[in-house]
PDB file of all heavy atoms in Angstrom:
ATOM      1  N   ARG A 112      -3.905  15.115  17.698  1.00 87.00           N
ATOM      2  CA  ARG A 112      -3.332  13.849  18.103  1.00 87.00           C
ATOM      3  C   ARG A 112      -2.965  12.923  16.976  1.00 87.00           C
ATOM      4  O   ARG A 112      -3.614  12.913  15.989  1.00 87.00           O
ATOM      5  CB  ARG A 112      -4.403  13.106  19.015  1.00 87.00           C
ATOM      6  CG  ARG A 112      -3.846  11.926  19.726  1.00 87.00           C
ATOM      7  CD  ARG A 112      -4.778  11.366  20.855  1.00 87.00           C
ATOM      8  NE  ARG A 112      -5.910  10.600  20.212  1.00 87.00           N
ATOM      9  CZ  ARG A 112      -6.825  10.047  20.949  1.00 87.00           C
ATOM     10  NH1 ARG A 112      -6.804  10.223  22.267  1.00 87.00           N
ATOM     11  NH2 ARG A 112      -7.828   9.377  20.414  1.00 87.00           N
ATOM     12  N   LEU A 113      -1.805  12.330  17.062  1.00 87.00           N
ATOM     13  CA  LEU A 113      -1.357  11.287  16.037  1.00 87.00           C
ATOM     14  C   LEU A 113      -1.701   9.915  16.563  1.00 87.00           C
ATOM     15  O   LEU A 113      -1.397   9.557  17.690  1.00 87.00           O
ATOM     16  CB  LEU A 113       0.122  11.490  15.860  1.00 87.00           C
ATOM     17  CG  LEU A 113       0.586  12.950  15.508  1.00 87.00           C
ATOM     18  CD1 LEU A 113       2.045  12.948  15.335  1.00 87.00           C
ATOM     19  CD2 LEU A 113      -0.086  13.452  14.239  1.00 87.00           C
ATOM     20  N   GLU A 114      -2.226   9.119  15.574  1.00 83.00           N
ATOM     21  CA  GLU A 114      -2.613   7.722  15.923  1.00 83.00           C
ATOM     22  C   GLU A 114      -2.137   6.801  14.770  1.00 83.00           C
ATOM     23  O   GLU A 114      -1.944   7.194  13.647  1.00 83.00           O
ATOM     24  CB  GLU A 114      -4.092   7.627  16.133  1.00 83.00           C
ATOM     25  CG  GLU A 114      -4.640   8.428  17.272  1.00 83.00           C
ATOM     26  CD  GLU A 114      -6.187   8.368  17.409  1.00 83.00           C
ATOM     27  OE1 GLU A 114      -6.709   7.618  16.507  1.00 83.00           O
ATOM     28  OE2 GLU A 114      -6.751   8.974  18.184  1.00 83.00           O
ATOM     29  N   ASN A 115      -1.976   5.586  15.165  1.00 80.00           N
ATOM     30  CA  ASN A 115      -1.680   4.544  14.149  1.00 80.00           C
ATOM     31  C   ASN A 115      -2.418   3.222  14.511  1.00 80.00           C
ATOM     32  O   ASN A 115      -2.175   2.626  15.542  1.00 80.00           O
ATOM     33  CB  ASN A 115      -0.196   4.239  14.132  1.00 80.00           C
ATOM     34  CG  ASN A 115       0.156   3.162  13.075  1.00 80.00           C
ATOM     35  OD1 ASN A 115      -0.448   3.164  12.019  1.00 80.00           O
ATOM     36  ND2 ASN A 115       1.050   2.212  13.485  1.00 80.00           N
ATOM     37  N   GLU A 116      -3.454   2.952  13.715  1.00 77.00           N
ATOM     38  CA  GLU A 116      -4.259   1.749  13.954  1.00 77.00           C
ATOM     39  C   GLU A 116      -4.776   1.669  15.386  1.00 77.00           C
ATOM     40  O   GLU A 116      -4.687   0.644  16.039  1.00 77.00           O
ATOM     41  CB  GLU A 116      -3.401   0.471  13.598  1.00 77.00           C
ATOM     42  CG  GLU A 116      -3.000   0.431  12.158  1.00 77.00           C
ATOM     43  CD  GLU A 116      -2.248  -0.844  11.862  1.00 77.00           C
ATOM     44  OE1 GLU A 116      -1.826  -1.591  12.833  1.00 77.00           O
ATOM     45  OE2 GLU A 116      -1.896  -1.035  10.705  1.00 77.00           O
ATOM     46  N   GLY A 117      -5.288   2.860  15.851  1.00 78.00           N
ATOM     47  CA  GLY A 117      -5.831   2.856  17.158  1.00 78.00           C
ATOM     48  C   GLY A 117      -4.906   3.100  18.288  1.00 78.00           C
ATOM     49  O   GLY A 117      -5.272   3.369  19.411  1.00 78.00           O
ATOM     50  N   THR A 118      -3.599   3.173  18.016  1.00 86.00           N
ATOM     51  CA  THR A 118      -2.553   3.453  19.015  1.00 86.00           C
ATOM     52  C   THR A 118      -2.252   4.928  19.054  1.00 86.00           C
ATOM     53  O   THR A 118      -1.834   5.399  17.980  1.00 86.00           O
ATOM     54  CB  THR A 118      -1.410   2.513  18.851  1.00 86.00           C
ATOM     55  OG1 THR A 118      -1.758   1.167  18.894  1.00 86.00           O
ATOM     56  CG2 THR A 118      -0.316   2.883  19.927  1.00 86.00           C
ATOM     57  N   VAL A 119      -2.329   5.563  20.101  1.00 87.00           N
ATOM     58  CA  VAL A 119      -1.879   6.964  20.188  1.00 87.00           C
ATOM     59  C   VAL A 119      -0.441   7.084  20.262  1.00 87.00           C
ATOM     60  O   VAL A 119       0.271   6.454  21.107  1.00 87.00           O
ATOM     61  CB  VAL A 119      -2.438   7.640  21.528  1.00 87.00           C
ATOM     62  CG1 VAL A 119      -1.955   9.047  21.606  1.00 87.00           C
ATOM     63  CG2 VAL A 119      -3.974   7.573  21.478  1.00 87.00           C
ATOM     64  N   THR A 120       0.153   7.839  19.319  1.00 87.00           N
ATOM     65  CA  THR A 120       1.650   7.899  19.136  1.00 87.00           C
ATOM     66  C   THR A 120       2.194   9.237  19.574  1.00 87.00           C
ATOM     67  O   THR A 120       3.348   9.392  19.801  1.00 87.00           O
ATOM     68  CB  THR A 120       2.072   7.615  17.743  1.00 87.00           C
ATOM     69  OG1 THR A 120       1.386   8.526  16.840  1.00 87.00           O
ATOM     70  CG2 THR A 120       1.657   6.163  17.353  1.00 87.00           C
ATOM     71  N   GLY A 121       1.401  10.219  19.590  1.00 88.00           N
ATOM     72  CA  GLY A 121       1.874  11.562  20.075  1.00 88.00           C
ATOM     73  C   GLY A 121       1.041  12.663  19.585  1.00 88.00           C
ATOM     74  O   GLY A 121      -0.122  12.479  19.303  1.00 88.00           O
ATOM     75  N   LEU A 122       1.643  13.857  19.408  1.00 87.00           N
ATOM     76  CA  LEU A 122       0.895  15.034  19.037  1.00 87.00           C
ATOM     77  C   LEU A 122       1.755  15.882  18.039  1.00 87.00           C
ATOM     78  O   LEU A 122       2.935  15.783  17.975  1.00 87.00           O
ATOM     79  CB  LEU A 122       0.753  15.980  20.291  1.00 87.00           C
ATOM     80  CG  LEU A 122      -0.189  15.616  21.471  1.00 87.00           C
ATOM     81  CD1 LEU A 122      -0.007  16.554  22.580  1.00 87.00           C
ATOM     82  CD2 LEU A 122      -1.606  15.480  20.965  1.00 87.00           C
ATOM     83  N   MET A 123       1.017  16.590  17.166  1.00 87.00           N
ATOM     84  CA  MET A 123       1.588  17.569  16.279  1.00 87.00           C
ATOM     85  C   MET A 123       0.964  19.020  16.619  1.00 87.00           C
ATOM     86  O   MET A 123      -0.200  19.102  16.709  1.00 87.00           O
ATOM     87  CB  MET A 123       1.254  17.303  14.803  1.00 87.00           C
ATOM     88  CG  MET A 123       1.984  18.282  13.885  1.00 87.00           C
ATOM     89  SD  MET A 123       1.719  17.874  12.197  1.00 87.00           S
ATOM     90  CE  MET A 123       2.598  19.261  11.325  1.00 87.00           C
ATOM     91  N   CYS A 124       1.834  19.912  17.026  1.00 87.00           N
ATOM     92  CA  CYS A 124       1.375  21.143  17.395  1.00 87.00           C
ATOM     93  C   CYS A 124       1.923  22.247  16.488  1.00 87.00           C
ATOM     94  O   CYS A 124       3.128  22.226  16.110  1.00 87.00           O
ATOM     95  CB  CYS A 124       1.808  21.557  18.850  1.00 87.00           C
ATOM     96  SG  CYS A 124       1.156  20.340  20.091  1.00 87.00           S
ATOM     97  N   VAL A 125       1.083  23.278  16.133  1.00 87.00           N
ATOM     98  CA  VAL A 125       1.518  24.424  15.295  1.00 87.00           C
ATOM     99  C   VAL A 125       1.335  25.668  16.196  1.00 87.00           C
ATOM    100  O   VAL A 125       0.199  25.877  16.704  1.00 87.00           O
ATOM    101  CB  VAL A 125       0.633  24.505  14.085  1.00 87.00           C
ATOM    102  CG1 VAL A 125       1.029  25.739  13.220  1.00 87.00           C
ATOM    103  CG2 VAL A 125       0.749  23.194  13.234  1.00 87.00           C
ATOM    104  N   VAL A 126       2.400  26.430  16.321  1.00 87.00           N
ATOM    105  CA  VAL A 126       2.407  27.631  17.149  1.00 87.00           C
ATOM    106  C   VAL A 126       2.529  28.837  16.173  1.00 87.00           C
ATOM    107  O   VAL A 126       3.580  28.955  15.538  1.00 87.00           O
ATOM    108  CB  VAL A 126       3.488  27.636  18.207  1.00 87.00           C
ATOM    109  CG1 VAL A 126       3.469  28.802  19.059  1.00 87.00           C
ATOM    110  CG2 VAL A 126       3.434  26.333  19.133  1.00 87.00           C
ATOM    111  N   ALA A 127       1.500  29.619  16.107  1.00 84.00           N
ATOM    112  CA  ALA A 127       1.593  30.873  15.246  1.00 84.00           C
ATOM    113  C   ALA A 127       1.569  32.127  16.101  1.00 84.00           C
ATOM    114  O   ALA A 127       0.814  32.187  17.057  1.00 84.00           O
ATOM    115  CB  ALA A 127       0.339  30.838  14.275  1.00 84.00           C
ATOM    116  N   GLU A 128       2.522  33.099  15.830  1.00 80.00           N
ATOM    117  CA  GLU A 128       2.524  34.321  16.510  1.00 80.00           C
ATOM    118  C   GLU A 128       1.217  35.166  16.213  1.00 80.00           C
ATOM    119  O   GLU A 128       0.764  35.164  15.052  1.00 80.00           O
ATOM    120  CB  GLU A 128       3.744  35.118  16.247  1.00 80.00           C
ATOM    121  CG  GLU A 128       4.898  34.394  16.805  1.00 80.00           C
ATOM    122  CD  GLU A 128       6.223  35.250  16.505  1.00 80.00           C
ATOM    123  OE1 GLU A 128       6.647  35.230  15.384  1.00 80.00           O
ATOM    124  OE2 GLU A 128       6.762  35.782  17.530  1.00 80.00           O
ATOM    125  N   SER A 129       0.711  35.883  17.109  1.00 68.00           N
ATOM    126  CA  SER A 129      -0.476  36.760  16.921  1.00 68.00           C
ATOM    127  C   SER A 129      -0.185  37.838  15.871  1.00 68.00           C
ATOM    128  O   SER A 129       0.855  38.337  15.828  1.00 68.00           O
ATOM    129  CB  SER A 129      -0.945  37.322  18.255  1.00 68.00           C
ATOM    130  OG  SER A 129      -2.006  38.208  18.027  1.00 68.00           O
ATOM    131  N   SER A 130      -1.248  37.983  15.009  1.00 56.00           N
ATOM    132  CA  SER A 130      -1.052  39.068  14.077  1.00 56.00           C
ATOM    133  C   SER A 130      -1.395  40.437  14.540  1.00 56.00           C
ATOM    134  O   SER A 130      -1.267  41.437  13.873  1.00 56.00           O
ATOM    135  CB  SER A 130      -2.004  38.737  12.875  1.00 56.00           C
ATOM    136  OG  SER A 130      -3.335  38.728  13.266  1.00 56.00           O
ATOM    137  N   ALA A 131      -1.842  40.482  15.815  1.00 50.00           N
ATOM    138  CA  ALA A 131      -2.211  41.742  16.462  1.00 50.00           C
ATOM    139  C   ALA A 131      -1.475  42.004  17.772  1.00 50.00           C
ATOM    140  O   ALA A 131      -2.195  41.996  18.780  1.00 50.00           O
ATOM    141  CB  ALA A 131      -3.732  41.932  16.546  1.00 50.00           C
ATOM    142  N   PRO A 132      -0.163  42.063  17.806  1.00 48.00           N
ATOM    143  CA  PRO A 132       0.566  42.131  19.100  1.00 48.00           C
ATOM    144  C   PRO A 132       0.130  43.435  19.880  1.00 48.00           C
ATOM    145  O   PRO A 132       0.131  43.416  21.080  1.00 48.00           O
ATOM    146  CB  PRO A 132       2.066  42.154  18.685  1.00 48.00           C
ATOM    147  CG  PRO A 132       2.074  42.614  17.273  1.00 48.00           C
ATOM    148  CD  PRO A 132       0.765  42.130  16.669  1.00 48.00           C
ATOM    149  N   ARG A 133      -0.200  44.473  19.124  1.00 52.00           N
ATOM    150  CA  ARG A 133      -0.488  45.700  19.858  1.00 52.00           C
ATOM    151  C   ARG A 133      -1.747  45.497  20.695  1.00 52.00           C
ATOM    152  O   ARG A 133      -1.907  45.940  21.792  1.00 52.00           O
ATOM    153  CB  ARG A 133      -0.709  46.819  18.846  1.00 52.00           C
ATOM    154  CG  ARG A 133       0.530  47.242  18.129  1.00 52.00           C
ATOM    155  CD  ARG A 133       0.176  48.352  17.129  1.00 52.00           C
ATOM    156  NE  ARG A 133       1.359  48.721  16.297  1.00 52.00           N
ATOM    157  CZ  ARG A 133       1.314  49.592  15.311  1.00 52.00           C
ATOM    158  NH1 ARG A 133       0.186  50.169  14.994  1.00 52.00           N
ATOM    159  NH2 ARG A 133       2.373  49.826  14.643  1.00 52.00           N
ATOM    160  N   LEU A 134      -2.797  44.803  20.097  1.00 52.00           N
ATOM    161  CA  LEU A 134      -4.049  44.574  20.813  1.00 52.00           C
ATOM    162  C   LEU A 134      -3.712  43.739  22.101  1.00 52.00           C
ATOM    163  O   LEU A 134      -4.196  44.008  23.166  1.00 52.00           O
ATOM    164  CB  LEU A 134      -5.030  43.848  19.861  1.00 52.00           C
ATOM    165  CG  LEU A 134      -6.308  43.411  20.591  1.00 52.00           C
ATOM    166  CD1 LEU A 134      -6.969  44.640  21.148  1.00 52.00           C
ATOM    167  CD2 LEU A 134      -7.214  42.651  19.657  1.00 52.00           C
ATOM    168  N   GLU A 135      -2.844  42.676  21.984  1.00 52.00           N
ATOM    169  CA  GLU A 135      -2.590  41.881  23.138  1.00 52.00           C
ATOM    170  C   GLU A 135      -1.869  42.693  24.156  1.00 52.00           C
ATOM    171  O   GLU A 135      -2.152  42.559  25.371  1.00 52.00           O
ATOM    172  CB  GLU A 135      -1.678  40.760  22.714  1.00 52.00           C
ATOM    173  CG  GLU A 135      -2.303  39.717  21.685  1.00 52.00           C
ATOM    174  CD  GLU A 135      -3.541  39.092  22.189  1.00 52.00           C
ATOM    175  OE1 GLU A 135      -3.714  39.083  23.471  1.00 52.00           O
ATOM    176  OE2 GLU A 135      -4.386  38.687  21.364  1.00 52.00           O
ATOM    177  N   GLU A 136      -0.939  43.617  23.829  1.00 56.00           N
ATOM    178  CA  GLU A 136      -0.273  44.448  24.728  1.00 56.00           C
ATOM    179  C   GLU A 136      -1.247  45.393  25.381  1.00 56.00           C
ATOM    180  O   GLU A 136      -1.194  45.707  26.548  1.00 56.00           O
ATOM    181  CB  GLU A 136       0.861  45.290  24.028  1.00 56.00           C
ATOM    182  CG  GLU A 136       1.966  44.391  23.539  1.00 56.00           C
ATOM    183  CD  GLU A 136       2.986  45.234  22.645  1.00 56.00           C
ATOM    184  OE1 GLU A 136       2.779  46.467  22.553  1.00 56.00           O
ATOM    185  OE2 GLU A 136       3.900  44.589  22.167  1.00 56.00           O
ATOM    186  N   GLU A 137      -2.285  45.862  24.639  1.00 55.00           N
ATOM    187  CA  GLU A 137      -3.214  46.786  25.203  1.00 55.00           C
ATOM    188  C   GLU A 137      -4.097  46.004  26.217  1.00 55.00           C
ATOM    189  O   GLU A 137      -4.428  46.579  27.252  1.00 55.00           O
ATOM    190  CB  GLU A 137      -4.116  47.286  24.074  1.00 55.00           C
ATOM    191  CG  GLU A 137      -5.189  48.291  24.487  1.00 55.00           C
ATOM    192  CD  GLU A 137      -4.539  49.664  24.737  1.00 55.00           C
ATOM    193  OE1 GLU A 137      -3.271  49.854  24.491  1.00 55.00           O
ATOM    194  OE2 GLU A 137      -5.224  50.539  25.358  1.00 55.00           O
ATOM    195  N   LEU A 138      -4.405  44.809  25.865  1.00 52.00           N
ATOM    196  CA  LEU A 138      -5.278  43.965  26.821  1.00 52.00           C
ATOM    197  C   LEU A 138      -4.461  43.753  28.131  1.00 52.00           C
ATOM    198  O   LEU A 138      -4.993  43.601  29.146  1.00 52.00           O
ATOM    199  CB  LEU A 138      -5.717  42.752  26.223  1.00 52.00           C
ATOM    200  CG  LEU A 138      -6.716  42.860  25.029  1.00 52.00           C
ATOM    201  CD1 LEU A 138      -7.152  41.469  24.517  1.00 52.00           C
ATOM    202  CD2 LEU A 138      -7.991  43.595  25.496  1.00 52.00           C
ATOM    203  N   ALA A 139      -3.080  43.454  27.941  1.00 55.00           N
ATOM    204  CA  ALA A 139      -2.303  43.223  29.109  1.00 55.00           C
ATOM    205  C   ALA A 139      -2.286  44.492  30.007  1.00 55.00           C
ATOM    206  O   ALA A 139      -2.365  44.351  31.260  1.00 55.00           O
ATOM    207  CB  ALA A 139      -0.876  42.913  28.682  1.00 55.00           C
ATOM    208  N   ARG A 140      -2.262  45.670  29.401  1.00 55.00           N
ATOM    209  CA  ARG A 140      -2.337  46.875  30.201  1.00 55.00           C
ATOM    210  C   ARG A 140      -3.662  47.040  30.797  1.00 55.00           C
ATOM    211  O   ARG A 140      -3.752  47.547  31.958  1.00 55.00           O
ATOM    212  CB  ARG A 140      -1.903  48.132  29.368  1.00 55.00           C
ATOM    213  CG  ARG A 140      -0.479  48.188  28.961  1.00 55.00           C
ATOM    214  CD  ARG A 140      -0.188  49.601  28.492  1.00 55.00           C
ATOM    215  NE  ARG A 140      -0.806  49.896  27.244  1.00 55.00           N
ATOM    216  CZ  ARG A 140      -0.372  49.657  26.059  1.00 55.00           C
ATOM    217  NH1 ARG A 140       0.837  49.100  25.890  1.00 55.00           N
ATOM    218  NH2 ARG A 140      -1.020  49.945  24.919  1.00 55.00           N
ATOM    219  N   ALA A 141      -4.665  46.594  30.107  1.00 49.00           N
ATOM    220  CA  ALA A 141      -6.009  46.688  30.670  1.00 49.00           C
ATOM    221  C   ALA A 141      -6.171  45.781  31.779  1.00 49.00           C
ATOM    222  O   ALA A 141      -6.841  46.242  32.845  1.00 49.00           O
ATOM    223  CB  ALA A 141      -7.028  46.287  29.595  1.00 49.00           C
ATOM    224  N   ASP A 142      -5.545  44.570  31.806  1.00 48.00           N
ATOM    225  CA  ASP A 142      -5.623  43.679  32.981  1.00 48.00           C
ATOM    226  C   ASP A 142      -5.065  44.414  34.145  1.00 48.00           C
ATOM    227  O   ASP A 142      -5.595  44.235  35.338  1.00 48.00           O
ATOM    228  CB  ASP A 142      -4.781  42.451  32.699  1.00 48.00           C
ATOM    229  CG  ASP A 142      -5.644  41.359  32.051  1.00 48.00           C
ATOM    230  OD1 ASP A 142      -6.880  41.417  32.135  1.00 48.00           O
ATOM    231  OD2 ASP A 142      -4.990  40.413  31.492  1.00 48.00           O
ATOM    232  N   ALA A 143      -4.081  45.186  34.029  1.00 49.00           N
ATOM    233  CA  ALA A 143      -3.386  45.919  35.191  1.00 49.00           C
ATOM    234  C   ALA A 143      -4.355  46.889  35.766  1.00 49.00           C
ATOM    235  O   ALA A 143      -4.134  47.240  36.900  1.00 49.00           O
ATOM    236  CB  ALA A 143      -2.012  46.521  34.696  1.00 49.00           C
ATOM    237  N   ARG A 144      -5.247  47.425  34.983  1.00 48.00           N
ATOM    238  CA  ARG A 144      -6.223  48.374  35.575  1.00 48.00           C
ATOM    239  C   ARG A 144      -7.451  47.815  36.166  1.00 48.00           C
ATOM    240  O   ARG A 144      -8.258  48.538  36.716  1.00 48.00           O
ATOM    241  CB  ARG A 144      -6.547  49.393  34.424  1.00 48.00           C
ATOM    242  CG  ARG A 144      -5.405  50.123  33.852  1.00 48.00           C
ATOM    243  CD  ARG A 144      -5.820  51.300  32.930  1.00 48.00           C
ATOM    244  NE  ARG A 144      -6.785  52.157  33.569  1.00 48.00           N
ATOM    245  CZ  ARG A 144      -7.278  53.197  33.019  1.00 48.00           C
ATOM    246  NH1 ARG A 144      -6.955  53.514  31.765  1.00 48.00           N
ATOM    247  NH2 ARG A 144      -8.189  54.005  33.654  1.00 48.00           N
ATOM    248  N   LEU A 145      -7.732  46.521  36.056  1.00 43.00           N
ATOM    249  CA  LEU A 145      -8.902  45.918  36.583  1.00 43.00           C
ATOM    250  C   LEU A 145      -8.539  45.639  38.047  1.00 43.00           C
ATOM    251  O   LEU A 145      -7.448  45.096  38.358  1.00 43.00           O
ATOM    252  CB  LEU A 145      -9.186  44.584  35.811  1.00 43.00           C
ATOM    253  CG  LEU A 145      -9.564  44.831  34.268  1.00 43.00           C
ATOM    254  CD1 LEU A 145      -9.811  43.490  33.674  1.00 43.00           C
ATOM    255  CD2 LEU A 145     -10.787  45.691  34.195  1.00 43.00           C
TER     256      LEU A 145
END
Side-chain angles (χ1 to χ4, degrees):
R112 190 169 76 179
L113 304 179
E114 300 177 0
N115 179 42
E116 297 180 353
T118 300
V119 177
T120 58
L122 294 171
M123 181 176 182
C124 300
V125 178
V126 182
E128 291 183 288
S129 172
S130 59
R133 294 179 184 175
L134 176 60
E135 299 300 338
E136 294 172 3
E137 185 73 8
L138 292 180
R140 288 197 296 269
D142 270 341
R144 294 191 58 178
L145 297 177

